[in-house]
Amino acid sequence: MKIVVLLKMVPDVVEELEIAPDGKSLDTTYLRMILNDSDNHALEEALLLKERHGGKVCLLAPDAPEVDDALFAALAKGADRAVKIAGIDAAEGTRAVVARIVQALSTADLLPADLILTGAQAIDDLDGLVAPLLAQTLRWSHLSVVNQVRFDASTGVTTVTKEFPGGLRAEFEIKLPAVLGIQSAEKPPRYVPVAKVRAAMKSLQIDSTTVPIAAGMPALEIQSMAKPSAAGHAEMLEGLPEAVAGKLCDVLAAHGLL
Amino acid sequence: MSGNIWVVAALCRGRLLDATYEAVALGRELAENLGTKLEVLLLGHELKDVLGTLGIADAVLCVEHAALADPVPEVHAHVVARLAGTRHPQAILVPQTNVTWELGSLVAGELGVPYVNSCTELRMVEQTLEAHTVLYGGKVEAIVRTKHAPSIFGLVSGVRAVEKGYADHAPATERITEVDVQPTSVQLRRYLEPEAGDIDISKEEVLVGVGRGIETRDNLEVSKELADVLGGAICGSRPVIDQGWLPLSRQVGKSGATVKPKLYIAAGISGAPEHVEGMKGSGLIIAINSDPQAPIFQVAHYGIVAKLLDVLPALTEAIRSRSRRGMKQYA
């Protein structure tokens, strides 16, 4: 089974985010980038499929700060090959990025493949989701919000479980090749020791491919970006833990909850 | 710009999801703003008993076909795109539920028109549709404009009161049975019912919700002790469930339960839109988070910036000592 996993770096929202002076983008000066959470789950699901059925897991990621660290970590976990798409500007928008991914799949010799897995969403998706748009462009089967992929080697049938609201799940049979938007892997993403990542950095390499900018994509005009206004903000309780606990008890008592 | 406003209904096994009514509420505001009509697009097969609550809209376009019985996104998206191609709505609003998750992007992709993800507000400004959207887990709001008609807007759930989009009567209904069905290689096999948990969190009056900030499975114990003294239960946001620290039956949010307890204590939960839509209706929300910018403080009534492992045990102890004092008073 040949699987391509699309990975993307996103700002770490645990850190404080600042708006750039243009008022329309994030200030990248002190921005810490991490692997998009559901992309990490897509990687895990791909590695589980490889363990069960053999094959290869290839990674494709737009170039971004700290992407090499994420790619070497993924190689250390068991991925076979990593390719960066050079020269992508995050401000291009999802449609343009998808067009570049389609080209990169060819130029980096990643096709044919059975599956392309990526995260069901990213925290910076403004103008569309990668998985459905990519499936549509490639004319491959598609489902998103997926939390399990099963392949029956004896029948060649692939079944995919998709999350529905309220804890409901649905099982679909899907023909390959397919693009799947993974919400969560069957198991939590595996941990890889730093020593193994360092070893991967010494012995393995990351390929790079360049593809032209796609023209004529419908773009959005960003007017402004801002941190949420204080409207409706919680009343903040301050003090040492014991003092805060006392104040909270007063609040609970006032609401008839004690 | 002319053309109607469309809301694509989110149906799950023949039942309208609340996000549909929220979308209808926003669609109504926009239609008034533009002086145009609001139409709800209902796709399915043998649709019954769902039209009677959509009266806030001016009309329902009821698209019925056997091929639309199952929620296969590419089939539904193609039908919406073809209808839009002949009827020319100026905006298509799609609630971002798990059922309709792929739909907005697919429709926009097929029509070659802009899509705006995670919208909370829509209005006409200077002859242009302006959308407010949330990014970065709710930490940033962006305002974007699109002049293209139609543009497609994905709507975040849990922003508007469901009641505003809910009516006790049906609007005018147009039935459409001639549709262009796209062949698909995705087939629904079966639904897998939610795992029955030890408790039903949607029935609890007090919930202590734990998120990524709890850091380790062992630390769940402090939140469980707090839930115990309050006579409630613990539940979690997605990262805690994905780690396997709590069972699926305890998940609150888009893929889990929607809860409305009297008290919800959000412990180490950042407040991403996907979680907030599942707990926003709680009576009293108290948030504890070490990040002063955590979006959960936008929805909480009371907030504390602190480490969980400092505050939770202190609160448990304070409640215990008060109840002891209370017992003595009555002794």
Side-chain angles (χ1 to χ4, degrees):
Chain A
M1 184 168 259
K2 190 174 170 191
I3 306 170
V4 177
V5 183
L6 304 178
L7 301 175
K8 172 166 136 177
M9 303 302 285
V10 294
D12 185 355
V13 292
V14 171
E15 307 283 320
E16 194 166 327
L17 301 181
E18 294 295 341
I19 308 298
D22 70 359
K24 296 178 180 184
S25 57
L26 280 190
D27 186 342
T28 56
T29 318
Y30 301 107
L31 210 54
R32 200 170 88 91
M33 303 292 274
I34 57 166
L35 182 58
N36 179 40
D37 196 44
S38 58
D39 290 357
N40 200 19
H41 282 265
L43 169 66
E44 182 61 33
E45 195 66 26
L47 295 172
L48 291 171
L49 284 166
K50 180 188 164 184
E51 283 165 5
R52 286 175 198 149
H53 305 291
K56 281 200 165 19
V57 171
C58 299
L59 315 167
L60 183 63
D63 198 3
E66 293 156 80
V67 73
D68 284 12
D69 293 348
L71 290 174
F72 277 122
L75 288 168
K77 286 180 178 183
D80 299 277
R81 191 184 161 209
V83 182
K84 277 192 297 193
I85 310 173
I88 287 191
D89 180 352
E92 279 177 25
T94 308
R95 302 280 268 283
V97 169
V98 166
R100 294 240 230 182
I101 288 170
V102 172
Q103 294 184 67
L105 286 167
S106 295
T107 58
D109 209 16
L110 295 168
L111 296 179
D114 301 297
L115 279 171
I116 296 178
L117 305 187
T118 192
Q121 63 175 323
I123 51 168
D124 59 351
D125 283 330
L126 174 65
D127 61 346
L129 305 170
V130 168
L133 289 169
L134 181 61
Q136 194 171 49
T137 310
L138 294 171
R139 297 177 182 275
W140 288 17
S141 316
H142 170 63
L143 277 175
S144 263
V145 208
V146 165
N147 65 7
Q148 191 178 67
V149 185
R150 287 284 160 90
F151 175 67
D152 185 336
S154 62
T155 59
V157 171
T158 306
T159 51
V160 165
T161 309
K162 174 180 158 91
E163 295 185 2
F164 277 75
L168 184 70
R169 306 285 185 262
E171 193 179 87
F172 290 86
E173 187 175 321
I174 191 164
K175 284 214 174 69
L176 303 185
V179 181
L180 301 177
I182 303 292
Q183 180 68 63
S184 64
E186 283 167 58
K187 293 180 182 174
R190 64 195 66 193
Y191 171 76
V192 60
V194 177
K196 236 178 145 182
V197 180
R198 286 212 187 102
M201 283 175 170
K202 279 182 188 158
S203 61
L204 301 171
Q205 59 163 35
I206 296 170
D207 298 338
S208 184
T209 187
T210 310
V211 292
I213 295 172
M217 292 292 149
L220 297 174
E221 200 185 317
I222 297 179
Q223 298 292 307
S224 63
M225 269 192 196
K227 295 183 188 181
S229 59
H233 198 278
E235 181 180 327
M236 303 306 284
L237 305 177
E238 290 170 0
L240 293 169
E242 288 71 22
V244 168
K247 289 177 191 172
L248 271 179
C249 278
D250 294 341
V251 170
L252 295 178
H255 285 79
L257 290 159
L258 282 187
Chain B
M1 275 194 183
S2 61
N4 294 339
I5 306 298
W6 281 8
V7 165
V8 181
L11 276 162
C12 188
R13 292 209 282 189
R15 196 177 59 83
L16 279 172
L17 297 174
D18 281 353
T20 305
Y21 299 110
E22 282 193 52
V24 167
L26 175 55
R28 184 78 261 165
E29 290 170 25
L30 188 60
E32 300 293 328
N33 186 208
L34 298 173
T36 188
K37 284 186 176 166
L38 172 65
E39 294 173 321
V40 174
L41 208 57
L42 200 58
L43 277 67
H45 182 51
E46 296 176 346
L47 294 163
K48 288 176 194 157
D49 309 327
V50 289
L51 293 162
T53 55
L54 291 170
I56 300 292
D58 297 299
V60 171
L61 306 179
C62 194
V63 190
E64 293 198 87
H65 193 282
L68 298 171
D70 295 331
V72 177
E74 59 198 32
V75 176
H76 284 236
H78 180 65
V79 170
V80 174
R82 292 303 290 259
L83 277 172
T86 56
R87 294 180 178 236
H88 310 292
Q90 63 175 307
I92 304 176
L93 281 46
V94 184
Q96 282 175 224
T97 68
N98 284 353
V99 187
T100 46
W101 188 253
E102 305 90 337
L103 198 85
S105 292
L106 288 174
V107 173
E110 186 164 339
L111 293 172
V113 301
Y115 173 77
V116 192
N117 205 34
S118 301
C119 299
T120 55
E121 297 281 347
L122 285 172
R123 62 174 70 99
M124 185 63 98
V125 179
E126 295 164 1
Q127 300 301 303
T128 307
L129 272 173
E130 184 175 275
H132 289 229
T133 78
V134 287
L135 291 166
Y136 307 112
K139 276 198 150 180
V140 171
E141 285 175 355
I143 297 176
V144 299
R145 286 186 185 178
T146 162
K147 287 185 176 141
H148 207 103
S151 287
I152 321 287
F153 301 92
L155 306 185
V156 172
S157 303
V159 176
R160 277 175 176 68
V162 171
E163 296 73 30
K164 281 193 174 174
Y166 188 95
D168 57 4
H169 61 281
T173 302
E174 180 186 348
R175 289 193 185 272
I176 301 166
T177 51
E178 294 289 319
V179 291
D180 181 25
V181 175
Q182 175 180 280
T184 179
S185 49
V186 180
Q187 305 290 339
L188 176 73
R189 268 189 169 184
R190 57 175 176 153
Y191 283 104
L192 307 166
E193 298 301 327
E195 293 167 24
D198 50 342
I199 56 156
D200 180 352
I201 54 171
S202 68
K203 296 203 167 89
E204 293 290 321
E205 293 198 337
V206 174
L207 284 171
V208 178
V210 288
R212 203 187 291 273
I214 198 78
E215 292 177 5
T216 69
R217 182 197 284 259
D218 291 344
N219 289 343
L220 280 180
E221 199 51 38
V222 293
S223 49
K224 191 167 179 311
E225 282 176 18
L226 174 59
D228 285 346
V229 297
L230 287 163
I234 58 170
C235 56
S237 61
R238 175 173 279 285
V240 173
I241 310 296
D242 280 351
Q243 284 296 327
W245 296 344
L246 282 176
L248 203 54
S249 57
R250 302 268 183 145
Q251 184 174 350
V252 170
K254 187 180 283 301
S255 294
T258 298
V259 297
K260 293 178 181 174
K262 286 182 180 167
L263 171 63
Y264 190 92
I265 299 180
I269 288 173
S270 66
E274 294 81 12
H275 181 75
V276 168
E277 74 170 78
M279 47 65 77
K280 207 185 172 203
S282 306
L284 178 67
I285 301 170
I286 294 169
I288 305 159
N289 204 295
S290 56
D291 176 7
Q293 292 196 338
I296 193 70
F297 292 127
Q298 303 290 326
V299 292
H301 301 101
Y302 293 90
I304 297 142
V305 177
K307 287 184 180 163
L308 292 186
L309 296 184
D310 293 338
V311 172
L312 293 186
L315 180 57
T316 305
E317 193 42 48
I319 295 167
R320 274 198 191 119
S321 72
R322 277 208 196 194
S323 60
R324 276 197 295 269
R325 257 186 285 155
M327 300 274 274
K328 274 182 196 161
Q329 275 179 12
Y330 291 105

